[in-house]
Amino acid sequence: GQQLNQSPQSMFIQEGEDVSMNCTSSSIFNTWLWYKQDPGEGPVLLIALYKAGELTSNGRLTAQFGITRKDSFLNISASIPSDVGIYFCAGTSQKLVFGQGTRLTINP
Amino acid sequence: NAGVTQTPKFQVLKTGQSMTLQCAQDMNHNSMYWYRQDPGMGLRLIYYSASEGTTDKGEVPNGYNVSRLNKREFSLRLESAAPSQTSVYFCASSDTWDGAVGYTFGSGTRLTVV
């Protein structure tokens, strides 16, 4: 079946640093989505990408839909303590598939 | 506030007990989903309902049953709970069955089976 490989699995950074994470797959996806899960809550949609090559920003977050349609990345600039959480990528072709998540920890 | 409401938020069961997790959405979404989240495993789909009146198995359906009671409500039942079903369960809904416009998730039910 379709699988998404999300990396890194965890990140420990200093406040103010930039963050980069990505998802790759051997399958082509029509849509890429990025979610954030705060501790004790459900995932919340951050960014949705619908076209190959598309680059979309949401505040300090920037995500891109890879040209090959098999990958996507998410960047967070100038991290702050509230960025802590688990970030999930997800892709759709005939159904929605989630990556394993990247756990972000920030040292103040 | 519009969204997905799950009840209960926490539950402890003894092995062999049964229970039903409730989920309701007020966004008039067609599709609803049940996921479980375990450490290091991400989100795994248990069952989904693409539209009212239909249900289908996901990746890990064994030990669970579902009911799409109406367009708003989608319940998950554990007939005979096992310790392996200790997990956090999330209900989600979407306007399209493939989730292309994104899912809205509830805040989760934390289930412990002892």
Side-chain angles (χ1 to χ4, degrees), chain A residues 12-33:
Chain A
F12 299 85
I13 64 168
Q14 297 295 122
E15 183 178 352
E17 288 185 8
D18 296 342
V19 172
S20 183
M21 60 190 78
N22 68 80
C23 267
T24 61
S25 175
S26 58
S27 303
I28 290 174
F29 287 92
N30 298 323
T31 304
W32 283 95
L33 307 166

PDB file of all heavy atoms in Angstrom, chain A residues 12-33:
ATOM      1  N   PHE A  12      15.310  18.313  18.304  1.00  0.00           N
ATOM      2  CA  PHE A  12      15.514  19.089  19.520  1.00  0.00           C
ATOM      3  C   PHE A  12      16.283  20.344  19.115  1.00  0.00           C
ATOM      4  O   PHE A  12      17.428  20.242  18.689  1.00  0.00           O
ATOM      5  CB  PHE A  12      16.314  18.283  20.551  1.00  0.00           C
ATOM      6  CG  PHE A  12      15.620  17.025  20.980  1.00  0.00           C
ATOM      7  CD1 PHE A  12      15.744  15.855  20.242  1.00  0.00           C
ATOM      8  CD2 PHE A  12      14.827  17.010  22.111  1.00  0.00           C
ATOM      9  CE1 PHE A  12      15.096  14.699  20.627  1.00  0.00           C
ATOM     10  CE2 PHE A  12      14.175  15.855  22.506  1.00  0.00           C
ATOM     11  CZ  PHE A  12      14.311  14.691  21.759  1.00  0.00           C
ATOM     12  N   ILE A  13      15.663  21.495  19.228  1.00  0.00           N
ATOM     13  CA  ILE A  13      16.287  22.721  18.738  1.00  0.00           C
ATOM     14  C   ILE A  13      16.217  23.809  19.785  1.00  0.00           C
ATOM     15  O   ILE A  13      15.496  23.691  20.788  1.00  0.00           O
ATOM     16  CB  ILE A  13      15.611  23.211  17.440  1.00  0.00           C
ATOM     17  CG1 ILE A  13      14.147  23.578  17.717  1.00  0.00           C
ATOM     18  CG2 ILE A  13      15.704  22.161  16.344  1.00  0.00           C
ATOM     19  CD1 ILE A  13      13.506  24.320  16.584  1.00  0.00           C
ATOM     20  N   GLN A  14      16.964  24.877  19.526  1.00  0.00           N
ATOM     21  CA  GLN A  14      16.923  26.051  20.380  1.00  0.00           C
ATOM     22  C   GLN A  14      15.873  27.033  19.850  1.00  0.00           C
ATOM     23  O   GLN A  14      15.663  27.130  18.627  1.00  0.00           O
ATOM     24  CB  GLN A  14      18.276  26.752  20.407  1.00  0.00           C
ATOM     25  CG  GLN A  14      19.415  25.929  21.002  1.00  0.00           C
ATOM     26  CD  GLN A  14      19.195  25.650  22.480  1.00  0.00           C
ATOM     27  OE1 GLN A  14      19.156  24.501  22.910  1.00  0.00           O
ATOM     28  NE2 GLN A  14      19.044  26.702  23.255  1.00  0.00           N
ATOM     29  N   GLU A  15      15.243  27.736  20.737  1.00  0.00           N
ATOM     30  CA  GLU A  15      14.288  28.763  20.329  1.00  0.00           C
ATOM     31  C   GLU A  15      14.957  29.739  19.369  1.00  0.00           C
ATOM     32  O   GLU A  15      16.104  30.134  19.578  1.00  0.00           O
ATOM     33  CB  GLU A  15      13.764  29.510  21.559  1.00  0.00           C
ATOM     34  CG  GLU A  15      12.713  30.548  21.246  1.00  0.00           C
ATOM     35  CD  GLU A  15      12.179  31.229  22.504  1.00  0.00           C
ATOM     36  OE1 GLU A  15      12.516  30.780  23.616  1.00  0.00           O
ATOM     37  OE2 GLU A  15      11.415  32.205  22.367  1.00  0.00           O
ATOM     38  N   GLY A  16      14.252  30.075  18.316  1.00  0.00           N
ATOM     39  CA  GLY A  16      14.794  31.000  17.330  1.00  0.00           C
ATOM     40  C   GLY A  16      15.391  30.324  16.104  1.00  0.00           C
ATOM     41  O   GLY A  16      15.588  30.969  15.065  1.00  0.00           O
ATOM     42  N   GLU A  17      15.670  29.025  16.203  1.00  0.00           N
ATOM     43  CA  GLU A  17      16.227  28.296  15.064  1.00  0.00           C
ATOM     44  C   GLU A  17      15.141  28.010  14.034  1.00  0.00           C
ATOM     45  O   GLU A  17      13.956  27.974  14.344  1.00  0.00           O
ATOM     46  CB  GLU A  17      16.847  26.973  15.523  1.00  0.00           C
ATOM     47  CG  GLU A  17      18.133  27.118  16.298  1.00  0.00           C
ATOM     48  CD  GLU A  17      18.763  25.766  16.622  1.00  0.00           C
ATOM     49  OE1 GLU A  17      18.265  24.746  16.111  1.00  0.00           O
ATOM     50  OE2 GLU A  17      19.728  25.738  17.383  1.00  0.00           O
ATOM     51  N   ASP A  18      15.589  27.793  12.807  1.00  0.00           N
ATOM     52  CA  ASP A  18      14.683  27.357  11.750  1.00  0.00           C
ATOM     53  C   ASP A  18      14.572  25.832  11.774  1.00  0.00           C
ATOM     54  O   ASP A  18      15.495  25.136  12.190  1.00  0.00           O
ATOM     55  CB  ASP A  18      15.183  27.818  10.383  1.00  0.00           C
ATOM     56  CG  ASP A  18      15.208  29.330  10.253  1.00  0.00           C
ATOM     57  OD1 ASP A  18      14.543  30.017  11.056  1.00  0.00           O
ATOM     58  OD2 ASP A  18      15.896  29.813   9.336  1.00  0.00           O
ATOM     59  N   VAL A  19      13.438  25.333  11.312  1.00  0.00           N
ATOM     60  CA  VAL A  19      13.155  23.900  11.321  1.00  0.00           C
ATOM     61  C   VAL A  19      12.792  23.456   9.915  1.00  0.00           C
ATOM     62  O   VAL A  19      12.104  24.180   9.185  1.00  0.00           O
ATOM     63  CB  VAL A  19      11.961  23.592  12.261  1.00  0.00           C
ATOM     64  CG1 VAL A  19      11.524  22.133  12.143  1.00  0.00           C
ATOM     65  CG2 VAL A  19      12.304  23.946  13.695  1.00  0.00           C
ATOM     66  N   SER A  20      13.262  22.280   9.542  1.00  0.00           N
ATOM     67  CA  SER A  20      12.896  21.723   8.250  1.00  0.00           C
ATOM     68  C   SER A  20      12.592  20.242   8.404  1.00  0.00           C
ATOM     69  O   SER A  20      13.344  19.511   9.037  1.00  0.00           O
ATOM     70  CB  SER A  20      14.039  21.916   7.245  1.00  0.00           C
ATOM     71  OG  SER A  20      13.657  21.436   5.978  1.00  0.00           O
ATOM     72  N   MET A  21      11.485  19.806   7.828  1.00  0.00           N
ATOM     73  CA  MET A  21      11.104  18.398   7.851  1.00  0.00           C
ATOM     74  C   MET A  21      10.505  18.043   6.500  1.00  0.00           C
ATOM     75  O   MET A  21      10.045  18.930   5.765  1.00  0.00           O
ATOM     76  CB  MET A  21      10.118  18.108   8.980  1.00  0.00           C
ATOM     77  CG  MET A  21       8.836  18.860   8.912  1.00  0.00           C
ATOM     78  SD  MET A  21       7.833  18.688  10.423  1.00  0.00           S
ATOM     79  CE  MET A  21       8.674  19.822  11.530  1.00  0.00           C
ATOM     80  N   ASN A  22      10.522  16.748   6.167  1.00  0.00           N
ATOM     81  CA  ASN A  22      10.013  16.385   4.852  1.00  0.00           C
ATOM     82  C   ASN A  22       9.344  15.028   4.851  1.00  0.00           C
ATOM     83  O   ASN A  22       9.498  14.235   5.789  1.00  0.00           O
ATOM     84  CB  ASN A  22      11.137  16.422   3.819  1.00  0.00           C
ATOM     85  CG  ASN A  22      12.161  15.321   4.056  1.00  0.00           C
ATOM     86  OD1 ASN A  22      11.976  14.172   3.690  1.00  0.00           O
ATOM     87  ND2 ASN A  22      13.250  15.680   4.700  1.00  0.00           N
ATOM     88  N   CYS A  23       8.613  14.791   3.802  1.00  0.00           N
ATOM     89  CA  CYS A  23       7.930  13.521   3.574  1.00  0.00           C
ATOM     90  C   CYS A  23       8.221  13.058   2.166  1.00  0.00           C
ATOM     91  O   CYS A  23       8.166  13.853   1.219  1.00  0.00           O
ATOM     92  CB  CYS A  23       6.418  13.679   3.735  1.00  0.00           C
ATOM     93  SG  CYS A  23       5.835  13.304   5.374  1.00  0.00           S
ATOM     94  N   THR A  24       8.498  11.771   2.032  1.00  0.00           N
ATOM     95  CA  THR A  24       8.732  11.206   0.714  1.00  0.00           C
ATOM     96  C   THR A  24       7.922   9.933   0.549  1.00  0.00           C
ATOM     97  O   THR A  24       7.544   9.287   1.535  1.00  0.00           O
ATOM     98  CB  THR A  24      10.219  10.881   0.490  1.00  0.00           C
ATOM     99  OG1 THR A  24      10.622   9.912   1.467  1.00  0.00           O
ATOM    100  CG2 THR A  24      11.074  12.116   0.606  1.00  0.00           C
ATOM    101  N   SER A  25       7.656   9.594  -0.695  1.00  0.00           N
ATOM    102  CA  SER A  25       6.895   8.391  -0.993  1.00  0.00           C
ATOM    103  C   SER A  25       7.338   7.835  -2.344  1.00  0.00           C
ATOM    104  O   SER A  25       7.868   8.566  -3.177  1.00  0.00           O
ATOM    105  CB  SER A  25       5.397   8.713  -1.036  1.00  0.00           C
ATOM    106  OG  SER A  25       4.652   7.576  -1.426  1.00  0.00           O
ATOM    107  N   SER A  26       7.099   6.570  -2.544  1.00  0.00           N
ATOM    108  CA  SER A  26       7.347   5.968  -3.849  1.00  0.00           C
ATOM    109  C   SER A  26       6.127   6.148  -4.752  1.00  0.00           C
ATOM    110  O   SER A  26       6.189   5.848  -5.949  1.00  0.00           O
ATOM    111  CB  SER A  26       7.669   4.477  -3.709  1.00  0.00           C
ATOM    112  OG  SER A  26       6.606   3.802  -3.067  1.00  0.00           O
ATOM    113  N   SER A  27       5.017   6.629  -4.187  1.00  0.00           N
ATOM    114  CA  SER A  27       3.778   6.825  -4.941  1.00  0.00           C
ATOM    115  C   SER A  27       3.545   8.306  -5.209  1.00  0.00           C
ATOM    116  O   SER A  27       4.032   9.165  -4.476  1.00  0.00           O
ATOM    117  CB  SER A  27       2.583   6.268  -4.154  1.00  0.00           C
ATOM    118  OG  SER A  27       2.764   4.903  -3.851  1.00  0.00           O
ATOM    119  N   ILE A  28       2.779   8.574  -6.230  1.00  0.00           N
ATOM    120  CA  ILE A  28       2.393   9.940  -6.569  1.00  0.00           C
ATOM    121  C   ILE A  28       1.153  10.327  -5.781  1.00  0.00           C
ATOM    122  O   ILE A  28       0.224   9.535  -5.657  1.00  0.00           O
ATOM    123  CB  ILE A  28       2.130  10.051  -8.088  1.00  0.00           C
ATOM    124  CG1 ILE A  28       3.440   9.924  -8.851  1.00  0.00           C
ATOM    125  CG2 ILE A  28       1.433  11.365  -8.420  1.00  0.00           C
ATOM    126  CD1 ILE A  28       3.259   9.881 -10.361  1.00  0.00           C
ATOM    127  N   PHE A  29       1.152  11.548  -5.268  1.00  0.00           N
ATOM    128  CA  PHE A  29      -0.007  12.057  -4.551  1.00  0.00           C
ATOM    129  C   PHE A  29      -0.580  13.288  -5.247  1.00  0.00           C
ATOM    130  O   PHE A  29       0.143  14.052  -5.869  1.00  0.00           O
ATOM    131  CB  PHE A  29       0.368  12.394  -3.100  1.00  0.00           C
ATOM    132  CG  PHE A  29       0.583  11.174  -2.259  1.00  0.00           C
ATOM    133  CD1 PHE A  29       1.844  10.621  -2.115  1.00  0.00           C
ATOM    134  CD2 PHE A  29      -0.485  10.561  -1.624  1.00  0.00           C
ATOM    135  CE1 PHE A  29       2.040   9.480  -1.352  1.00  0.00           C
ATOM    136  CE2 PHE A  29      -0.296   9.425  -0.851  1.00  0.00           C
ATOM    137  CZ  PHE A  29       0.965   8.880  -0.714  1.00  0.00           C
ATOM    138  N   ASN A  30      -1.882  13.464  -5.125  1.00  0.00           N
ATOM    139  CA  ASN A  30      -2.567  14.605  -5.743  1.00  0.00           C
ATOM    140  C   ASN A  30      -2.624  15.810  -4.828  1.00  0.00           C
ATOM    141  O   ASN A  30      -2.786  16.945  -5.276  1.00  0.00           O
ATOM    142  CB  ASN A  30      -3.990  14.209  -6.124  1.00  0.00           C
ATOM    143  CG  ASN A  30      -4.013  13.091  -7.152  1.00  0.00           C
ATOM    144  OD1 ASN A  30      -3.175  13.039  -8.048  1.00  0.00           O
ATOM    145  ND2 ASN A  30      -4.949  12.175  -7.007  1.00  0.00           N
ATOM    146  N   THR A  31      -2.557  15.551  -3.532  1.00  0.00           N
ATOM    147  CA  THR A  31      -2.645  16.600  -2.523  1.00  0.00           C
ATOM    148  C   THR A  31      -1.673  16.286  -1.405  1.00  0.00           C
ATOM    149  O   THR A  31      -1.503  15.108  -1.059  1.00  0.00           O
ATOM    150  CB  THR A  31      -4.075  16.666  -1.925  1.00  0.00           C
ATOM    151  OG1 THR A  31      -5.030  16.843  -2.962  1.00  0.00           O
ATOM    152  CG2 THR A  31      -4.205  17.786  -0.919  1.00  0.00           C
ATOM    153  N   TRP A  32      -1.020  17.325  -0.878  1.00  0.00           N
ATOM    154  CA  TRP A  32      -0.196  17.164   0.313  1.00  0.00           C
ATOM    155  C   TRP A  32      -0.748  18.079   1.396  1.00  0.00           C
ATOM    156  O   TRP A  32      -1.098  19.240   1.130  1.00  0.00           O
ATOM    157  CB  TRP A  32       1.261  17.537   0.035  1.00  0.00           C
ATOM    158  CG  TRP A  32       2.019  16.485  -0.717  1.00  0.00           C
ATOM    159  CD1 TRP A  32       2.214  16.420  -2.065  1.00  0.00           C
ATOM    160  CD2 TRP A  32       2.696  15.350  -0.165  1.00  0.00           C
ATOM    161  NE1 TRP A  32       2.966  15.323  -2.389  1.00  0.00           N
ATOM    162  CE2 TRP A  32       3.279  14.641  -1.240  1.00  0.00           C
ATOM    163  CE3 TRP A  32       2.868  14.867   1.129  1.00  0.00           C
ATOM    164  CZ2 TRP A  32       4.013  13.463  -1.058  1.00  0.00           C
ATOM    165  CZ3 TRP A  32       3.610  13.706   1.306  1.00  0.00           C
ATOM    166  CH2 TRP A  32       4.173  13.015   0.220  1.00  0.00           C
ATOM    167  N   LEU A  33      -0.819  17.542   2.605  1.00  0.00           N
ATOM    168  CA  LEU A  33      -1.340  18.297   3.738  1.00  0.00           C
ATOM    169  C   LEU A  33      -0.340  18.214   4.884  1.00  0.00           C
ATOM    170  O   LEU A  33       0.331  17.192   5.055  1.00  0.00           O
ATOM    171  CB  LEU A  33      -2.686  17.713   4.201  1.00  0.00           C
ATOM    172  CG  LEU A  33      -3.761  17.546   3.128  1.00  0.00           C
ATOM    173  CD1 LEU A  33      -4.890  16.667   3.646  1.00  0.00           C
ATOM    174  CD2 LEU A  33      -4.313  18.905   2.718  1.00  0.00           C
TER     175      LEU A  33
END
